[in-house]
Structure formats: C-alpha cells, structure tokens
Amino acid sequence: MVQANNITMRFGGQVLFEDISLKLDAGKRYGLIGANGAGKSTFLKILSGEIEASSGNVSISSALKVGVLEQNQFAYEDFSIKDAVLYGNKRFYEAVKEKEKLYESGDFSDDKVNNRLADLEIICAEEDPTYEYEVAIEKVLEALGFEASRHNDLMRSLTSAEKFKVLLAQVLFPKPDILFLDEPTNNLDIDAISWLEEQLNRHEGTIVVISHDRHFLNSVVTNILDVDFKKIREFSGNYDDWYIASTLIQKQNEIERDKKLKEKDDLEGFIRRFSANASKAKQATSRQKQLEKLDINELQVSSRRDPSIVFRKKRDIGNEVLNVSDLSFSYGAKEVLKGVSFKVEKGDKIALIGANGIGKSTLCKLLMQELFAKSGQIFWGATIEPSYFAQDSTDMIKGDMELFEWLQQFDDKKDLDEIRKCLGRMLFSGEEQKKSVKSISGGEKHRMMLSKMMLERGNFLILDEPNNHLDLEAIIALGEALYKFDGVVICVTHDRELIDAFANRIIKIKDDGSIEDFKGDYESYRG
C-alpha cells in the first residue's frame, strides 16, 4: 500500500537516514520507534507527504484514503466539536455544509440550485452510503467522554486534552485506508487509550504509529520499524518481540566488534614490530592488507542509550508518613476534590490515576502546598522529605545557566563532581553539560528534573506525569528505579507499563471528586 524508495534525509551536513527502501503492507500495523532525535517524526512526515525527502520518493495509490493525525490543536477553534470531526472527510464536510446552506436559502425554482443539490446528494451518498455519519460521530465522541449535549460546543471552549481527543476522532472518522499517527496516546487517559487500542486493532488498512507507550505498542502493532544506524530495520511482532530480537542482535554485534577490535590491535602491533625488519617485511605487508580489509564501521554502536536512574534516600522513614483527611478543593464553583481521605504507609508505591482534568495534579499541588484546600487536613510525618516532579517541569527549567549550574543552584554545597556524574548517568556527557538549559528539548528537561530528584535524595517521591517527553528506554529505566527505590512513591501517569513496573497500590480520583483506594497492583485492580 505504501512504497518508500531510496529515501535519504539531510539537515545541513547531518544525515538523518539514508537510502531507505521499504514496503508497508495492507493489514499490518507498524510501530515506528527509535531514540529521541533519530528521525521518527521526520520519516512519518515524509511518508504522509507533509515534507519532501532530500532524495528518493514515496508511492501511495491515489485511490487510497490517507489519514494523518492533526498536531495543531488550535486549527479548528470556530468549528463545533462534531463539525471538527466531520472535517476529517473534507469532501464530505464541504458537500454537507453546501447542501445545508442551499436548503436554508436556495431558490428551488432555479434549475441550477436543484442540479447542484443533486450533485451534492451523490457526493454524500458516495461518502456515506448508509446515511449514518451523525450517529457515527456521536458514538466516537461519546466513547471519548463527550456527552451529546456538548457536541455543538465550539472547539475553542475545550481544554488542550479535549481538543486532542477531537483531532483523534477526526482522523479515525473517515476510516482511511492508511493511518499515520504521531504520539496518539499523548493527553489521553487510560480509558481513552484502551478505546483507541480497540479501534486500531479493528482497522483493516495500514497503520504507522509513533508512541512511547510500551503497553500501547504491544497491544496494537504487528510489526516494528526501528530507526537506528541511519537505517530503518523491520521486525515482525510487537515491541517486546523487537526488544528480545534486537537485544540478541546487539549482543552478537558487540561480541563480533570486540573480536574485530582485538584482531585490529594484534595486526597493528605486528606491523609496528616487524615493518622495519627486512626478513619480516613480507609478513608485515600481508598483515597490512588484512588490516585494510577489516571494516570496524560495519558493526556500529546503536544510537540508543539507556539512562541510569537511581533514587536513594538520605533519611530513613519513621512510622508516620502521610495522612490526608477529608480534603476538599474547588476552582471557583467547580468542585474538584470532595472529602478525600487516605493514609500512606511505609513501602507504598502509589499510582494516582483518573480521567484528564479530574484533579490528579491538583492533589499533588495540595500535598506540596502549592495550593491550599478549602477544608480538610494534610499531615506529613516528621521524618518525611518529599521530592517533587511537577507536570509543568519543562516550563520551570529556563534561563541561561549551564546544565550543571542549574542543578547546583538548589544546593550550593553539593559536590560538583557528584553533579557531573549524575548528569552523565542521565546521558548528558562531556560538552553537553555546558549547554544552556534554554536550548535543551522537552525530553532533556525531564531528564534534568529527574537528575535534580536523584541529587535531592528525598524519601517520598511525588511525580506528576514524569514520562511525558521521555523515550521508551528512559521510561523503562524510570519504572525500574521507582520499583527499586527504598522509599515511598506517588506517581501520576497514564502509562500502564510504567504503572505495572512499580505500583503496589492504586488510587483513582472519580468523577464526583472522591477516590477509589485499591491496595494491590494494577493488573489485580483491573481484574
């Protein structure tokens, strides 16, 4: 269905990938993965025709419908919600709107009007043979949490998360033959992600999707496209299948590389020792030819790097940890939390879940005294030293300071060598540590905030969606770090693999502002 031929992409002197040729088949769902900066989004844009490659071409039959997830949340501010979804099929949308306008104000004694209406009816019948588009739009919107009474609301009245859901409904509504989706699970809660998985698994065409949600990839994709070494390799199976296969290949390559490096050292040593010796000159020349044939570059080191996230506490936790009693909070007339009570014990690793906008971040801010409740109490144990990862961490990291200077400002007594080692563990090495914080990406800012928490050595970690902007390798490392941490954790996340990695308790904020408190892992909670 999609054929990429000899695709090469350059930005200035940098080659992002080169000479990529692959065929994407009908009925297959491809997960496009790779390290941050490897070129995943760029390659997806080339496939969808949004940008042109430096060389090569992409071939898609003109008879096929292509759907691309819109990234501009503000593109449809003056549309009603249901019209924004309908616009996913632009030909159908324009026919419906013109037909409505003619029926409202057209002169039906005019043959031109009647003929145009007949043409529009044909278009509508071609695009919606069963005349059920309104029902289809209502169903998809209700599945995403929009009540029927809201479907005529303007897009400008929605939150960013709600707008993203509408854009998702927009791209799915026409049932395109080919779907290109860049991070479709961003801004979705767990229930919406499950719904999306179900929709994509029913899709009969071709899908190419970029996601940092491991559970989502395992649930949806049938094949993996791995962007690495400036190439794209295809693997059959889901993310876990790829991980096993690629790890084995990488280990084999490392063994072969070590073997070749040793051979190279031995040959160079022989040449140095005997090249000046007339009796050994012939052997030295032979070894030189062997050395020239030895291609170390064939066995490249992967662009992927796993951060080393380790949380250590500098103070043991006493018997009293955290007690929240009858906590309520409102934004004006809107009550967000109502009579919330729970007690945190030693060893608790809590996943705080719930729909978008339900009050998870609000509860975190109340615990950290960035907000204050209208009623109720929050009691912290005397030994507790919290460390906080706010949802808006990327906005907090700003200014002209170099990376190590930004971390040093929080504790000027902290040893500089310790700070540099911490940055190194978070993949900021050498000259990268001298970069200005204002120049780094969202993912790098999140790694900076995790570095800050590692240096603080708090015994109670509160993290509000820390996995946003992180790549899969970093999310896996974070899950392992939270699991191994000998302290207490409250973490807000929609990433089910991350929850599975660390959580032994689930607290869900419900629609009425109360909570559901389940002591056990997420799998048991869902069961």
Side-chain angles (χ1 to χ4, degrees), residues 283-321:
Q283 288 176 275
T285 302
S286 175
R287 296 293 197 281
Q288 181 66 44
K289 289 179 179 178
Q290 283 181 256
L291 182 61
E292 289 168 359
K293 290 178 181 178
L294 200 61
D295 189 359
I296 304 297
N297 293 325
E298 278 184 2
L299 301 171
Q300 303 176 66
V301 177
S302 173
S303 60
R304 287 184 175 82
R305 295 182 294 164
D306 296 340
S308 176
I309 304 174
V310 181
F311 297 115
R312 297 188 180 95
K313 63 186 192 324
K314 61 185 174 186
R315 184 175 185 178
D316 288 334
I317 294 176
N319 292 327
E320 294 288 340
V321 181

Side-chain angles (χ1 to χ4, degrees), residues 217-348:
L217 289 173
N218 281 332
S219 300
V220 169
V221 306
T222 61
N223 297 70
I224 292 290
L225 300 175
D226 180 20
V227 185
D228 205 358
F229 310 114
K230 299 183 176 64
K231 299 291 184 182
I232 296 180
R233 295 184 295 177
E234 182 177 345
F235 293 79
S236 293
N238 61 20
Y239 180 83
D240 283 352
D241 296 327
W242 164 84
Y243 187 81
I244 293 168
S246 65
T247 301
L248 180 60
I249 292 170
Q250 184 65 21
K251 291 295 182 187
Q252 290 171 336
N253 282 349
E254 287 172 5
I255 292 169
E256 186 65 23
R257 184 180 177 84
D258 290 344
K259 181 181 174 183
K260 285 194 173 185
L261 286 171
K262 185 178 185 308
E263 186 180 350
K264 180 174 180 288
D265 289 342
D266 291 345
L267 289 169
E268 287 176 338
F270 184 92
I271 292 165
R272 280 195 304 271
R273 288 195 304 274
F274 297 112
S275 58
N277 188 323
S279 66
K280 300 287 186 179
K282 189 173 181 179
Q283 288 176 275
T285 302
S286 175
R287 296 293 197 281
Q288 181 66 44
K289 289 179 179 178
Q290 283 181 256
L291 182 61
E292 289 168 359
K293 290 178 181 178
L294 200 61
D295 189 359
I296 304 297
N297 293 325
E298 278 184 2
L299 301 171
Q300 303 176 66
V301 177
S302 173
S303 60
R304 287 184 175 82
R305 295 182 294 164
D306 296 340
S308 176
I309 304 174
V310 181
F311 297 115
R312 297 188 180 95
K313 63 186 192 324
K314 61 185 174 186
R315 184 175 185 178
D316 288 334
I317 294 176
N319 292 327
E320 294 288 340
V321 181
L322 172 65
N323 193 9
V324 175
S325 176
D326 202 28
L327 194 69
S328 295
F329 184 85
S330 300
Y331 290 105
K334 183 182 178 183
E335 190 169 43
V336 179
L337 301 173
K338 183 178 180 181
V340 171
S341 297
F342 60 93
K343 185 176 182 180
V344 178
E345 308 280 357
K346 277 185 182 181
D348 278 348

Side-chain angles (χ1 to χ4, degrees), residues 161-173:
E162 288 176 325
K163 287 175 183 177
F164 187 82
K165 287 182 178 181
V166 175
L167 296 180
L168 197 55
Q170 181 190 77
V171 74
L172 294 175
F173 163 68

